[in-house]
Amino acid sequence: MNVNDVSISQVKVKFFPYLNRVPLKFGHEVSNGGELVCVRMQVTDTKGRSAWGYGETPLGAAWSWPSVLSQSRRVERMQAFCLLLQEEWGKVFLSGHPMEIGSLFLETRLTDCLKKENSAYPSEEPMPYLCALVCCSAFDLALYDAYGILHGVKVFDCLNGRYMNRDLSTYYSPEYAGLFAGKYPEEYLVPRNAVPARLAACHLVGGKDHLYPSELTEEDPKDEYPLLLQDWIHRDGLFNLKIKLTGNDAPWDYNRIVEVGRIAIANAVQNLTVDFNCTVTDPAYVNEILDKLKAQEPAIYEMILYVEQPFPYDMEANPIDVHACSRRKLLLMDESAHDWRFVALGYKLGWTGVALKTCKTLTGALLSLCWAREHGMAIMVQDLTNPRLAIIPHVLLAANAGTIMGVEVNSMQFCPGASADAARIHPGLYRRREGCVSFYTLGDSGFGYRLEEIERAAREAYHA
């Protein structure tokens, strides 16, 4: 037993609703807001000392649970599942490092919890595992935060042999264990003395976003934020854009890439990425668009850094060989990268990179990162619209992972009002400047939220 080990003492859950200022289209669905699950977790160490940690995650039903059920019903089910997880995390009696406790929960409890949840709704569509991971992630994040606060260390500085009881070999199957013998996550991260305090920001161009003045309507919000892509580029100094596509309308997708690409070139944007949102079933769909771009719009084609998740997220049910796509551009798994096992499967099928998300648990993201790095895969950290404090572990993962190009952040586009309180303490995280987000204001333990200061600033603003 390590003297730094902790055990879980208490778990508390609440929810925070928020609205989007403009709609966000994901695949076939449009979201106009969402719900955050907010978790406080207390841990106690071997000496009886205790500390509270905090974690937040948006309950992103649109992307984690494609379904004919209404979004509101899916979110209700996710909230109910979070309350079940509150009980189950409170029953975890293991003492150890957050990665050990988090991994044990994922391996031995989460699936059973999901079965229990689904059995409570026999007449409805079952919740998928990806959705369960999203719900679980806030608890996992709160555990890491509490551990770091208790020991006065940043979360990403405690991923080594000083704090962990077991090396990475014990987290992977025997087929891969030898690759990780004697190694810890820290070895796959940016060197501790080289972690940046700001990152290049990738701006999302959603399927409902306006490109031209002629598209503006009376229904558009009248607020301080831009409505046109060019205005966002100028306001925030953007040089990275991500283009959301349909995956089932090739002419529209091609034209959208060209339209955004031309605006990008005219405004000195450097990089593009394209996201097909899991809706493609035949690699030829992607290949034909890329080949047409290369032939007819070579400058735009060259700007594309990578292609993100064209194919269904259930990779086991859809084991599509994608080598032909990845020979054209880097091909990144996102929704299908549930954990390191799926990353390994994707690697065999031809995927060449992985987009990490803290909303699938930090434990899972770290194990996927280490496996991917060991096998030479590219790393990116992608957003799912992280407002409020959910953005903080997200950008810290990107800063410590070392990504292809910064981090995708888009909550300041779609729901800036939800982050108003946190922005008073961490303004660089909620307003992109010179194309970057900065986080030098974060504290020196846990995730550095400075939660008490945010809550105090919110009270003062309310009474002003």
Side-chain angles (χ1 to χ4, degrees), residues 146-453:
Y147 183 90
I149 290 171
L150 182 61
H151 297 302
V153 63
K154 296 178 181 179
V155 166
F156 289 90
D157 290 345
C158 66
L159 300 172
N160 50 52
R162 175 183 174 187
Y163 293 97
M164 297 175 65
N165 296 299
R166 298 184 284 142
D167 67 23
L168 281 169
S169 66
T170 62
Y171 295 92
Y172 299 102
S173 62
E175 179 184 1
Y176 302 110
L179 294 173
F180 297 98
K183 297 179 181 178
Y184 294 87
E186 186 174 276
E187 297 177 45
Y188 296 93
L189 301 175
V190 173
R192 298 298 81 206
N193 61 356
V195 179
R198 73 175 198 159
L199 289 173
C202 185
H203 174 95
L204 178 69
V205 184
K208 292 286 186 179
D209 288 12
H210 299 322
L211 302 185
Y212 311 111
S214 60
E215 297 173 344
L216 297 174
T217 71
E218 287 299 316
E219 286 72 37
D220 291 321
K222 308 297 189 296
D223 57 23
E224 62 187 283
Y225 301 99
L227 290 168
L228 300 177
L229 174 59
Q230 179 173 283
D231 294 338
W232 275 114
I233 294 170
H234 292 170
R235 175 186 184 265
D236 292 357
L238 301 170
F239 49 89
N240 296 308
L241 303 178
K242 171 179 169 177
I243 310 169
K244 285 277 191 181
L245 304 172
T246 68
N248 55 22
D249 185 343
W252 191 94
D253 286 348
Y254 177 82
N255 289 332
R256 188 68 167 182
I257 296 171
V258 171
E259 289 178 322
V260 173
R262 289 174 177 170
I263 292 171
I265 291 171
N267 291 277
V269 170
Q270 300 170 14
N271 304 302
L272 302 174
T273 67
V274 291
D275 180 3
F276 289 89
N277 284 330
C278 316
T279 50
V280 180
T281 56
D282 186 347
Y285 182 99
V286 177
N287 296 338
E288 289 170 6
I289 288 176
L290 291 176
D291 291 346
K292 186 176 179 180
L293 284 170
K294 188 174 183 178
Q296 299 184 5
E297 301 284 348
I300 295 174
Y301 178 84
E302 290 301 321
M303 293 171 71
I304 298 175
L305 287 177
Y306 60 85
V307 175
E308 181 185 338
Q309 192 68 50
F311 308 110
Y313 78 82
D314 189 345
M315 187 174 290
E316 289 180 320
N318 301 273
I320 300 169
D321 188 306
V322 298
H323 285 88
C325 293
S326 59
R327 282 194 291 269
R328 289 166 166 82
K329 288 289 180 179
L330 272 174
L331 187 64
L332 268 62
M333 307 170 63
D334 186 353
E335 286 80 12
S336 63
H338 301 350
D339 57 35
W340 72 265
R341 294 177 182 85
F342 287 87
V343 176
L345 174 58
Y347 180 76
K348 293 176 181 177
L349 291 170
W351 297 81
T352 47
V354 58
L356 303 174
K357 278 185 164 78
T358 52
C359 66
K360 289 185 280 191
T361 76
L362 180 58
T363 295
L366 289 169
L367 292 173
S368 294
L369 183 155
C370 295
W371 197 97
R373 283 273 185 239
E374 185 67 34
H375 291 81
M377 299 180 77
I379 298 292
M380 188 59 190
V381 172
Q382 299 294 86
D383 204 3
L384 70 156
T385 310
N386 282 297
R388 294 212 339 159
L389 300 184
I391 197 175
I392 292 176
H394 170 73
V395 297
L396 286 177
L397 174 61
N400 284 272
T403 62
I404 301 168
M405 178 56 71
V407 62
E408 183 196 344
V409 283
N410 63 56
S411 62
M412 57 281 293
Q413 302 167 237
F414 295 99
C415 49
S419 305
D421 295 337
R424 295 184 180 95
I425 303 301
H426 305 297
L429 273 169
Y430 303 97
R431 167 71 188 268
R432 299 165 302 196
R433 292 173 173 83
E434 299 177 343
C436 296
V437 287
S438 61
F439 35 97
Y440 59 87
T441 54
L442 296 180
D444 291 326
S445 63
F447 289 115
Y449 295 124
R450 297 170 59 188
L451 188 57
E452 292 181 358
E453 295 173 67

Side-chain angles (χ1 to χ4, degrees), residues 133-147:
L133 280 176
V134 171
C135 296
C136 191
S137 64
F139 298 86
D140 187 72
L141 290 168
L143 174 59
Y144 279 90
D145 187 49
Y147 183 90

